[in-house]
Amino acid sequence: MNMLVEIVASLLLVAGGIFAFIGSLGMAHLKDFYMRLHGPTKATTLGIGCMLMASMLYFWHRHGVPDIQEMLITLFLFITAPVSAHLLAKTGLHMQLQRADKTRGEPLELRQEEVGDKPVPHPEKGHG
């Protein structure tokens, strides 16, 4: 294998591992739900993306054709991670989850009808 391809793939794997580790630490050590969203959605997505790019590069060089499966996994990951993080954040705002004192800002984007009651009533039991 070409030495340059090995070096680039190795750097991508190391960078991916570092990003994934930092994302895991962020999820474990940050104080509230909103801060914890950043770990898996940003750093871990970059980490897995780097690892997938290293794998694509390795097998492309080895077999001579790009691997479509890894490209599709990367595309799916980069499309779904921000959407799922957004939905989780909106759900947290709707449920009025507590924020840590260090979390800055106020969720002004919610309209009054988007804010739920605490606790959210079960649909089968009614509101009473």
Side-chain angles (χ1 to χ4, degrees), residues 11-128:
L11 289 175
L12 284 170
L13 286 173
V14 169
I18 290 170
F19 278 125
F21 180 70
I22 290 172
S24 301
L25 282 179
M27 189 169 173
H29 290 288
L30 292 174
K31 301 294 182 200
D32 68 1
F33 173 77
Y34 304 104
M35 288 186 211
R36 286 183 183 158
L37 276 176
H38 294 288
T41 57
K42 290 183 177 53
T44 307
T45 302
L46 281 174
I48 299 297
C50 286
M51 291 180 198
L52 284 167
M53 285 191 292
S55 179
M56 280 189 288
L57 180 66
Y58 172 78
F59 285 109
W60 190 354
H61 182 71
R62 180 139 187 185
H63 299 294
V65 293
D67 194 3
I68 191 71
Q69 293 167 339
E70 290 167 338
M71 287 184 202
L72 291 174
I73 292 169
T74 305
L75 179 68
F76 182 74
L77 176 72
F78 285 138
I79 289 173
T80 58
V83 172
S84 63
H86 176 74
L87 291 174
L88 284 169
K90 289 292 267 189
T91 301
L93 290 172
H94 178 74
M95 293 180 65
Q96 298 177 351
L97 295 178
Q98 294 296 318
R99 296 179 306 200
D101 294 334
K102 291 182 179 181
T103 303
R104 290 184 283 173
E106 191 65 32
L108 298 176
E109 70 273 4
L110 287 179
R111 296 185 298 265
Q112 187 60 36
E113 63 268 13
E114 293 179 319
V115 177
D117 297 327
K118 189 88 174 171
V120 177
H122 193 276
E124 293 178 5
K125 294 182 181 179
H127 299 294

